[in-house]
Amino acid sequence: MIPVSDPPHVSAGSDTAVDEHRLEELIIEAQTALPFELVGLANRCAAALGLDAALIYLIDLQQRLLVPLDEALEPLPVERSPAGWAYRRVSPQVAANDGGVIVWMPLVDGAERLGVLAVRTAALTGVRMRRSRMLAHLFAMLITSKRTYSDWLASLARTETMGLPAEMLRAFLPPHTVGSSRCVSTAVLEPAYDVAGDAFDHSVIKNVLHTMILDSMGHDLTAGLTTSVAMAAARNARRAGGAPADIVGSVDQALAHWLPDHFCTGVLCRLDAETGVLHWVNCGHPPPLLIRAERVLHGALDSPPQPPIGLAGQLAPPTRQVHETTLEPGDRVLLYTDGVVEARDTEGAEFGLDQFTDFIIRSSAAGQRPAEVLRLLIHAILDHQRNQLRDDATILLFEWHPYDW
C-alpha cells in the first residue's frame, strides 16, 4: 500500500488521448442511469479514460464496512485494508494487484465521505492518477444525486433490520458531514438501527453555519415523532430567516400545538464563519464544550438553565436567552446527548466526560479529520458498552478555520 499525493503536471503523450464523444455519451447516460446501472457505467467510463476497470464501494451505516455496488463481491473492512485507509484519510492509496495496480480513491461529496472507488490499471502514470481522481469526483456526484430516491442504495448501507422509529427519524437527518472553506460540522448517532429520540441537524446558509442537537424523552415512535416535528419546525423558521430565538420559539409552538405533553432538550448554534461570532441557545441540555489548543475550556459555553423545548402554557418561557461569544481560529465546539457520557461497561463504569473529551483531543492531535475522530469515538463508546447502548448517543462537532481547512 502506497500513500499517494497529488501528481505533478504531466505533458501530453500517448497516454493522454481520450475519445471525447464517447465520454460525452457516457456522461449523458449517467444522468438517467438507475443506481444499479452505475456498476457497468463505472467500467465504461474507466475504459473511455484509458483505465481498465472501476468498482464502487459505499460506506455502511456504522462506518465499519465498505460495501460494493457489485453484489457479487464481498464488503471490505474499513480497518486494516487499503480501501479503508483511503476512506479514513480521504487520500488516494495504491496497491499492487495481479501485475497491475489498484488506485483506491475516496468518494467525497463536499465534506461528506461516501465510500471509495477502486480503479484498476496496468501501470500508474500521472495522467491515469488524475483521471482516476476525475472519475471519483464524477461518481461521487452521481451517487449523491441518486441516493436521495434509491431504496436500493439505502439497503446496501445496512447490515441489520432497521426499526420503524429509526427509519422515520433518519429520513429527516442531513448528511453526517457538511462544510465550507471556513468551517466543517460532523455528527454521528447510535444505535444506528434502533435510535428513536436523538437527532442532529446542520446547514450552511451563505457564510453562516447552523447546528442543532435534540434529545426527546422516551425511546419509542412518539419520541421519534417529537424529534422529527422539532427538526421540521426549526428548519422552517431557519429557512424563513429566523434568528436563533425565533427558531427555538417556532419549535416550542409546533410541539405545544401538535404534540402537547411531549418535549425535548436541545442546543441550537449559529456560527458566523467570517467573524467567528457564535450564538447559542441551550434548552435543558448538557452545555456545549469548547476545545481550544487541545484542551477543554471548562465552563466557556455554560449558561443559565432554560426549560426544555415544547412546554406550553405557564411552563413556557416568554423568550429564550441567546448567548454570544467569539471563537478563535481552530476552535472546536462539541454538542452531545447524555447517552454518550452515561454509557456503562459491564461493571457499571461510565464512559464519562473526561474520557469523552480526551479521546477527541488525542485523535485530533494525531491528525485525524473531524469525521474520522467521531467515527472512532462512537465505536469506542459502543465497545465500552458491548454494543448495547441503553440510551441514544449523538455527537456533533464543528470547527472554525477561517484561513484554511
Side-chain angles (χ1 to χ4, degrees), residues 5 53 97 148 164 179 228 239 279 288 361 382 392:
S5 59
N97 181 70
T148 56
L164 180 57
S228 299
R239 292 165 182 172
H279 293 93
I361 290 170
L382 285 168
D392 296 346

Side-chain angles (χ1 to χ4, degrees), residues 65-353:
L65 295 173
L66 288 159
V67 183
L69 260 59
D70 185 342
E71 295 176 281
L73 302 176
E74 293 295 320
L76 301 173
V78 172
E79 309 294 341
R80 304 178 306 280
S81 73
W85 207 102
Y87 175 81
R88 298 194 313 270
R89 294 287 182 175
V90 194
S91 177
Q93 302 299 307
V94 177
N97 181 70
D98 295 333
V101 297
I102 297 179
V103 183
W104 296 97
M105 300 295 304
L107 291 171
V108 181
D109 173 41
E112 172 82 340
R113 300 180 298 177
L114 307 175
V116 294
L117 182 72
V119 180
R120 298 178 186 271
T121 183
L124 186 62
T125 65
V127 168
R128 292 178 185 177
M129 188 67 187
R130 280 199 298 277
R131 290 179 182 176
S132 298
R133 193 184 302 277
M134 290 167 53
L135 203 58
H137 289 321
L138 171 63
F139 278 91
M141 289 187 288
L142 288 174
I143 291 163
T144 299
S145 68
K146 296 178 187 299
R147 68 175 179 171
T148 56
Y149 64 82
S150 173
D151 285 347
W152 180 68
L153 288 177
S155 64
L156 279 180
R158 300 181 182 184
T159 59
E160 300 177 23
T161 301
M162 183 169 290
L164 180 57
E167 189 76 65
M168 178 180 66
L169 190 59
R170 285 193 174 276
F172 280 86
L173 293 181
H176 282 278
T177 308
V178 300
S180 68
S181 60
R182 294 187 176 96
C183 59
V184 61
S185 175
T186 187
V188 289
L189 186 155
E190 285 283 355
Y193 299 92
D194 194 35
V195 68
D198 277 17
F200 65 88
D201 197 16
H202 43 204
S203 174
V204 178
I205 301 177
K206 293 186 177 179
N207 289 318
V208 175
L209 171 67
H210 295 265
T211 62
M212 181 173 66
I213 196 165
L214 297 169
D215 184 359
S216 293
M217 302 302 101
H219 194 86
D220 54 16
L221 189 64
T222 303
L225 183 60
T226 301
T227 303
S228 299
V229 170
M231 291 179 68
R235 288 173 179 171
N236 184 255
R238 189 175 69 215
R239 292 165 182 172
D246 301 322
I247 295 171
V248 178
S250 294
V251 180
D252 276 325
Q253 294 173 20
L255 290 180
H257 178 76
W258 296 106
L259 289 166
D261 302 323
H262 295 280
F263 59 91
C264 58
T265 67
V267 176
L268 180 145
C269 299
R270 181 189 186 277
L271 172 65
D272 186 318
E274 287 191 330
T275 64
V277 173
L278 173 69
H279 293 93
W280 79 96
V281 184
N282 188 343
C283 304
H285 201 80
L289 299 175
L290 177 60
I291 301 176
R292 177 176 295 162
E294 310 305 340
R295 68 184 186 91
V296 178
L297 299 187
H298 294 285
L301 301 181
D302 287 359
S303 57
Q306 297 190 64
I309 309 171
L311 298 180
Q314 294 181 347
L315 296 175
T319 58
R320 292 289 185 174
Q321 292 183 325
V322 180
H323 305 279
E324 178 182 330
T325 191
T326 301
L327 301 184
E328 294 184 2
D331 278 357
R332 285 164 284 169
V333 176
L334 189 61
L335 312 180
Y336 63 96
T337 59
D338 52 15
V340 172
V341 296
E342 293 176 1
R344 297 178 182 272
D345 63 15
T346 54
E347 297 180 355
E350 287 188 347
F351 193 81
L353 187 60

Side-chain angles (χ1 to χ4, degrees), residues 46-64:
L49 291 170
L51 305 166
D52 295 342
L55 301 170
I56 301 168
Y57 290 79
L58 299 183
I59 193 66
D60 84 306
L61 200 58
Q62 293 183 296
Q63 299 184 81
R64 295 185 185 274

